[in-house]
Amino acid sequence: MIEDFESYQKNTDLLKKMAYHYYVLDDPIATDEQYDILYHQLKDYEEKNPNQIISTSPTQRVGNKLLEGFEKYKHIQRMWSLDDVFDATKLEEWVNRIYKNYPQANFTCSPKFDGASLNLYYDDGILQSAATRGDGIQGELVTQNAKTIQSIPLEIPYKKPIEIRGEVVITREDFEKINKERLNNNENIFANPRNAAAGSLRQLDPKITAKRKLKFVPWGMGKNEFETGSFYELLNTILNYGFYRTPFITLCKNEAEIQALYEDLIKKRQDYSIMLDGMVIMVDSLQSQKQMGFTIKSPRFACAYKFPAIEKTSKILAIKPQVGRSGVITPVAELEPVEIEGAMISRATLHNYSEIQRKDIKINDTVIIIRSGDVIPKIIKPIIELRDGKQIDINKPTHCPECGSEVLVEEIFIRCQNLSCKARVKESIVYFASRKALNIEGLGQKIVDQLFEKKIISNILDLYHIGVEDLICLEGWQEKKAKNLIESIKGTKNIQLWRLLNSLGIEHIGEGASKKLAISFGRKIFEIPAEEISKIDGLGNEMANSIVDFGIVNKELIKKLFEIIDPIEPEKSISHISAFTNKTIVLTGTLSKPREEISALLESLGAKMTSSVSKKTDLLIYGENAGSKLEKANTLMVESINETELIEMLKKEEVQY
């Protein structure tokens, strides 16, 4: 029995130590019976003394309260995606780009786990929040579930604010046990360990998460106050805070050592208990990382060296033409189901009919298919030696499989040009409602198909006229489900402008470009000429022309959507007239801060940031290794300043750099 707080505190520390040795180190220092007895003694004391409960006690890991849903959470520092390299040649190119400016660079290499990314935020040493990756900027808050994962310490000795990032994974053995249990309970099984980890992390009942043997494996940091030093040493320091130790993490001095480690991991890949899909390579110097910064999508100082795709053979049973929202008709192969890395594959893309002819693929062919990580399975080639005379040629369609209209046959692509084609409209609506667009919950492919079939909708605008009475008469619908969908549709009103732009599915325009367009032009984007749009950093002529063309063809649709949704333009918080107000500015060269950060700062002072130097450029700001842009600025007699001069100008504006 535990009778006083001092004894309770001492035994809490002992139980933490027992749990750490059992769950993290796989080196138990107590029997299960001893652990359980002490656990219940602590629990009894806490029930009698609720005001004395230590928040990091192991008894507090299993939440007793069911969650109603997950709140959105904005990461303090963005969770970036990594650029991929797939072979030794691309690795050499990537390393040489680093050596060009950092010839003495070393690299921290660690395995890339196939799991669910999680961002932990600690302040004053206490776990404050845990959030899923989401879109990299905003995720879902899953703190109560994360606390049930024993390899996530509730308290660390580092007291300053820090985001620790890693992968939530599940071992192959535990994955099989979960699926066996789900089969016995007549529940759907998980496709692979990654899906099992992600699904377990997002349970509304934390007790279910606690039953799944999830592990959190750290791989990096977000918000932190470390400016210099070695990433390798820092990560190892963090691992000593009580986390599960990241296996195979290695400091490599050159490309040869990176390649040797990569090949060693490939050999261990199949037998290792946790699924691996590649290796992360990161410049080791924290100072160099900061100087290199980020592109619009990814860090310049890191990449993912992906493992070779798993190859299997299957048989093509049929070809189904699929019409996308842009009208392109893509041939999709129906296959004899085959298991690859825990997922049953029964369909694979063939991209276009020209590729079918080039590879000489026929129906009833035995083919080699690959799947790598999240990449859609694709067919590599037919095994011609196994043909038995039953093969059937695959012919290009002359008419749209959905609406029957004659198709346009281009050099590579075949398109349905009918803007009212049901398949095109349906795909547009599915994309419109998708997570990175307007995020209309409950409006997936099957629901869109059903609403079309029952003639409740025929275009995007019809979504905003659906009533509860239209839905409750449909199969599988009840009043609550109908109200939830309608509320989700209503919830798109006054959404951020970039989301609406992204939801339109404009060719070549994704999330990043949509945000830049919203900031630069606001709701007038479709009134802006292509030459002005192409000046925006990261946007070229092809993207600019796409926006202009889309605006002309869909003028009425855009007008009505803007009226219904009334999107919110990003605020341009210009605090005062500055030396940068209304100046067209270009950044070039290697700077001490990420370009996105500098651009945002200058835009807040009224600047207009572009990517190319022209006669209209007012100022060029350059860092180390500035190239052709600086030369062009000098030729055009455009004013140019270095980073030190920029900092001095900002000081005069009383703005911190």
Side-chain angles (χ1 to χ4, degrees):
M1 290 287 292
I2 299 172
E3 296 183 353
D4 56 59
F5 182 74
E6 186 179 346
S7 177
Y8 164 66
Q9 196 172 28
K10 182 179 176 182
N11 281 288
T12 299
D13 290 339
L14 176 60
L15 194 66
K16 285 182 190 178
K17 188 175 180 180
M18 287 180 178
Y20 176 66
H21 275 263
Y22 182 83
Y23 291 105
V24 180
L25 300 182
D26 291 324
D27 181 27
I29 59 172
T31 65
D32 288 353
E33 184 182 14
Q34 289 171 323
Y35 182 91
D36 288 341
I37 289 171
L38 186 55
Y39 182 94
H40 287 291
Q41 285 178 352
L42 287 180
K43 203 159 181 61
D44 287 342
Y45 181 84
E46 289 168 348
E47 286 175 359
K48 294 172 185 174
N49 303 277
N51 295 328
Q52 295 181 7
I53 295 174
I54 296 172
S55 63
T56 57
S57 165
T59 63
Q60 302 305 298
R61 284 190 174 275
V62 182
N64 293 314
K65 186 179 177 183
L66 285 174
L67 304 175
E68 295 181 2
F70 297 108
E71 292 178 36
K72 298 298 181 184
Y73 176 87
K74 187 174 182 180
H75 305 301
I76 298 173
Q77 194 175 99
R78 179 174 172 176
M79 294 184 75
W80 299 88
S81 300
L82 293 178
D83 286 335
D84 294 332
V85 297
F86 291 95
D87 54 47
T89 302
K90 293 296 182 185
L91 171 65
E92 183 181 12
E93 291 175 5
W94 185 83
V95 171
N96 285 339
R97 281 200 299 274
I98 302 296
Y99 282 153
K100 186 176 179 182
N101 296 317
Y102 301 89
Q104 305 302 317
N106 290 330
F107 303 89
T108 299
C109 298
S110 58
K112 186 175 183 297
F113 295 101
D114 199 8
S117 294
L118 190 67
N119 184 32
L120 306 177
Y121 175 57
Y122 291 85
D123 193 7
D124 196 27
I126 304 297
L127 178 65
Q128 305 293 330
S129 65
T132 61
R133 182 186 184 281
D135 62 4
I137 296 171
Q138 180 177 262
E140 290 181 321
L141 207 57
V142 291
T143 311
Q144 293 306 312
N145 289 352
K147 284 182 175 180
T148 72
I149 301 173
Q150 296 284 347
S151 51
I152 294 178
L154 304 181
E155 184 176 15
I156 61 175
Y158 183 79
K159 300 300 180 182
K160 293 180 180 178
I162 187 171
E163 288 178 307
I164 296 174
R165 289 162 176 179
E167 211 74 6
V168 174
V169 297
I170 193 165
T171 65
R172 298 173 195 263
E173 182 182 356
D174 288 326
F175 167 70
E176 295 296 338
K177 287 179 182 176
I178 289 172
N179 268 353
K180 187 175 180 181
E181 184 181 316
R182 291 177 72 83
L183 275 174
N184 291 338
N185 294 334
N186 292 317
E187 295 175 309
N188 293 330
I189 62 172
F190 290 113
N192 50 51
R194 177 176 55 79
N195 287 353
S200 301
L201 192 59
R202 295 188 72 258
Q203 288 291 327
L204 293 177
D205 184 354
K207 287 185 177 179
I208 296 176
T209 307
K211 289 179 183 177
R212 312 262 171 91
K213 293 186 178 179
L214 301 176
K215 294 181 186 293
F216 175 80
V217 187
W219 47 249
M221 284 78 67
K223 158 74 176 176
N224 67 81
E225 297 188 13
F226 300 98
E227 297 288 335
T228 60
S230 162
F231 175 79
Y232 175 78
E233 291 175 3
L234 176 57
L235 185 56
N236 275 290
T237 299
I238 285 171
L239 294 177
N240 289 328
Y241 293 164
F243 293 97
Y244 184 85
R245 296 210 57 92
T246 307
F248 312 122
I249 183 170
T250 307
L251 185 63
C252 294
K253 295 179 181 177
N254 52 47
E255 182 194 340
E257 290 187 5
I258 294 172
Q259 187 64 33
L261 177 62
Y262 174 77
E263 290 171 4
D264 184 52
L265 284 179
I266 288 176
K267 291 175 186 174
K268 294 174 178 174
R269 174 188 190 184
Q270 293 301 323
D271 298 325
Y272 192 65
S273 61
I274 302 170
M275 286 183 68
L276 311 174
D277 63 1
M279 184 172 82
V280 175
I281 307 167
M282 194 170 297
V283 172
D284 186 58
S285 164
L286 295 174
Q287 188 173 8
S288 298
Q289 288 184 15
K290 186 178 179 184
Q291 289 171 350
M292 294 173 72
F294 304 84
T295 67
I296 194 170
K297 293 182 179 178
S298 57
R300 293 187 177 93
F301 52 82
C303 71
Y305 193 179
K306 301 300 285 289
F307 285 155
I310 302 294
E311 292 188 354
K312 290 284 183 79
T313 60
S314 184
K315 188 176 183 180
I316 296 181
L317 303 177
I319 296 293
K320 280 195 172 181
Q322 194 170 65
V323 185
R325 65 179 186 273
S326 66
V328 172
I329 299 173
T330 304
V332 177
E334 302 283 340
L335 304 167
E336 284 185 346
V338 59
E339 186 269 336
I340 304 180
E341 284 283 88
M344 290 303 297
I345 306 301
S346 58
R347 305 176 86 217
T349 180
L350 281 159
H351 299 297
N352 56 68
Y353 286 89
S354 298
E355 184 171 338
I356 291 174
Q357 290 181 335
R358 183 174 61 81
K359 292 182 176 178
D360 188 27
I361 295 171
K362 302 177 186 291
I363 294 172
N364 295 326
D365 262 340
T366 298
V367 293
I368 295 173
I369 59 175
I370 66 166
R371 179 177 182 268
S372 178
D374 286 334
V375 176
I376 298 169
K378 62 180 179 181
I379 293 169
I380 299 302
K381 65 176 183 178
I383 304 176
I384 295 172
E385 293 77 9
L386 296 181
R387 285 182 174 168
D388 57 7
K390 296 179 181 177
Q391 283 62 43
I392 303 169
D393 288 339
I394 301 168
N395 298 316
K396 293 181 179 180
T398 57
H399 292 76
C400 174
E402 189 67 45
C403 69
S405 61
E406 193 170 343
V407 298
L408 171 67
V409 180
E410 299 175 317
E411 187 175 343
I412 295 177
F413 298 111
I414 297 174
R415 294 179 187 271
C416 169
Q417 297 186 91
N418 178 10
L419 292 174
S420 300
C421 174
K422 188 163 69 174
R424 290 189 65 175
V425 178
K426 283 199 291 186
E427 288 298 319
S428 295
I429 293 175
V430 171
Y431 184 79
F432 182 80
S434 64
R435 200 173 215 180
K436 288 191 177 182
L438 295 199
N439 195 21
I440 303 176
E441 291 187 19
L443 193 63
Q445 184 73 60
K446 288 182 180 178
I447 299 299
V448 171
D449 287 343
Q450 186 184 32
L451 297 180
F452 256 86
E453 185 184 336
K454 299 300 181 181
K455 295 184 170 47
I456 292 171
I457 60 172
S458 60
N459 56 55
I460 287 173
L461 295 173
D462 287 344
L463 293 173
Y464 294 91
H465 302 291
I466 298 174
V468 172
E469 63 282 358
D470 297 317
L471 300 173
I472 56 176
C473 59
L474 301 179
E475 184 181 347
W477 287 81
Q478 296 174 338
E479 187 173 358
K480 184 179 179 182
K481 181 179 176 180
K483 284 183 175 178
N484 286 345
L485 176 59
I486 290 167
E487 283 304 310
S488 190
I489 293 170
K490 286 180 180 177
T492 64
K493 294 184 179 181
N494 302 126
I495 204 161
Q496 291 169 300
L497 175 61
W498 75 263
R499 282 192 171 274
L500 178 55
L501 296 178
N502 192 37
S503 75
L504 297 174
I506 306 168
E507 201 162 0
H508 309 304
I509 304 300
E511 179 184 341
S514 296
K515 288 178 178 176
K516 289 196 169 190
L517 292 166
I519 290 170
S520 301
F521 304 114
R523 294 169 65 149
K524 293 184 178 180
I525 174 58
F526 295 105
E527 301 170 22
I528 307 297
E531 55 268 24
E532 282 298 308
I533 296 172
S534 63
K535 289 178 183 176
I536 300 300
D537 190 22
L539 274 71
N541 292 330
E542 193 173 18
M543 297 170 83
N545 289 329
S546 236
I547 296 158
V548 171
D549 291 346
F550 186 90
I552 293 169
V553 172
N554 299 282
K555 186 176 180 180
E556 285 304 310
L557 171 68
I558 293 165
K559 181 183 176 184
K560 288 176 182 175
L561 279 175
F562 272 42
E563 288 173 357
I564 293 170
I565 295 174
D566 192 17
I568 298 171
E569 295 186 54
E571 290 183 15
K572 294 184 179 179
S573 54
I574 302 173
S575 54
H576 63 283
I577 301 298
S578 74
F580 304 98
T581 303
N582 297 324
K583 294 286 180 70
T584 300
I585 299 176
V586 175
L587 302 176
T588 189
T590 303
L591 299 156
S592 65
K593 287 179 177 283
R595 287 191 191 179
E596 289 78 10
E597 195 175 316
I598 300 171
S599 293
L601 176 62
L602 294 173
E603 282 172 345
S604 73
L605 295 170
K608 181 180 177 183
M609 305 304 296
T610 68
S611 61
S612 57
V613 177
S614 70
K615 290 180 180 179
K616 294 182 179 180
T617 305
D618 295 305
L619 179 65
L620 177 85
I621 300 168
Y622 63 90
E624 293 179 18
N625 303 300
S628 58
K629 289 182 184 178
L630 181 56
E631 291 175 10
K632 188 173 181 181
N634 290 335
T635 302
L636 296 173
M637 299 183 72
V638 170
E639 182 185 359
S640 59
I641 61 172
N642 60 31
E643 191 172 16
T644 304
E645 292 170 311
L646 169 65
I647 294 169
E648 288 303 314
M649 287 181 71
L650 289 169
K651 281 182 181 175
K652 291 177 183 177
E653 301 290 341
E654 298 183 352
V655 174
Q656 183 152 358
Y657 184 63

